[in-house]
Amino acid sequence: MSDPHAHFASVIAALPRGYSVRHADPAHDLEALARLVNAVAEDVGEPFRYSADDMRENLDAVEPANDTIVVSDAAGTIVAWGSAYRVTDDPSKPRVFLMGAVHPQQRAQGIGRALFTWTHARAVEILAAHHNGTIQAQCTDTDERTQHLYARFGMRPIRWYTSMQLHFSRRPTSRDLATTMIPAGYHARAFHE
């Protein structure tokens, strides 16, 4: 395996002046990463929000010192991150998921392209020993910037998911099942563990 640190030079060269690059530090970066991911989710209309514990799970599943990259601005604020999340324990379907985010206020500067170039190269290295490996990524259908970035790297959509949402502020709920409106043909009962 090549040295993932060696690729930092190409990332740094692609970034605007004043930005720095390093690997993610699970002991110190979790809150900042959660804020970053949530800012991006809000910007593209994604309803899910992440906590520091969610980010810890993401980093626990990779080798942060090899498979992650964090970009900070001159003030030291994390403005972008990327990760090559390996799933190579199943020899019939080895793959690497590319994850990452660029803060909405930091877009259109080449940061996302530099991050994606790094994570994509890292995925290629990880999959070098797997002849049938694939590189995968995901985004919401409202995130057109990310879709364009994926297309630049030759990626194409192969799967779609639908998430259903119930907005309690728009549809009041009650614990009293007798007053709950249930469509004809359906039954409601309390959930018991």
Side-chain angles (χ1 to χ4, degrees):
M1 171 171 52
S2 69
D3 180 7
H5 305 278
H7 296 298
F8 279 1
S10 63
V11 175
I12 292 168
L15 294 176
R17 182 171 295 210
Y19 289 86
S20 61
V21 176
R22 63 177 172 79
H23 293 291
D25 179 355
H28 298 102
D29 294 338
L30 300 176
E31 291 288 342
L33 289 171
R35 282 192 302 275
L36 167 65
V37 170
N38 289 337
V40 172
E42 183 174 346
D43 185 63
V44 299
E46 174 69 48
F48 301 108
R49 296 297 181 264
Y50 292 83
S51 67
D53 287 337
D54 294 327
M55 297 311 297
R56 181 185 320 281
E57 285 182 29
N58 282 333
L59 293 182
D60 283 350
V62 298
E63 298 174 13
N66 294 315
D67 301 336
T68 65
I69 188 169
V70 172
V71 176
S72 299
D73 63 13
T77 302
I78 294 174
V79 299
W81 87 294
S83 176
Y85 182 100
R86 64 179 78 204
V87 182
T88 54
D89 52 341
D90 179 358
S92 68
K93 192 175 180 180
R95 56 207 182 276
V96 175
F97 293 96
L98 305 184
M99 295 187 285
V102 176
H103 195 282
Q105 295 176 345
Q106 301 290 333
R107 290 189 178 143
Q109 300 183 72
I111 297 171
R113 188 169 42 254
L115 277 175
F116 199 80
T117 299
W118 186 89
T119 56
H120 192 274
R122 186 70 190 120
V124 169
E125 290 175 351
I126 291 168
L127 292 172
H130 305 277
H131 72 281
N132 60 338
T134 60
I135 299 172
Q136 301 178 15
Q138 67 182 34
C139 69
T140 64
D141 60 350
T142 58
D143 191 352
E144 293 179 9
R145 286 181 177 271
T146 301
Q147 292 173 37
H148 291 301
L149 179 64
Y150 292 167
R152 288 181 73 158
F153 279 78
M155 301 180 89
R156 60 183 171 70
I158 60 169
R159 187 176 302 146
W160 290 262
Y161 296 93
T162 299
S163 297
M164 297 174 63
Q165 299 178 43
L166 174 60
H167 296 271
F168 292 108
S169 61
R170 295 183 203 151
R171 183 175 180 193
T173 60
S174 169
R175 292 184 181 268
D176 182 5
L177 293 179
T179 63
T180 303
M181 298 284 293
I182 305 293
Y186 290 89
H187 306 279
R189 60 185 172 90
F191 175 77
H192 296 287
E193 293 185 44

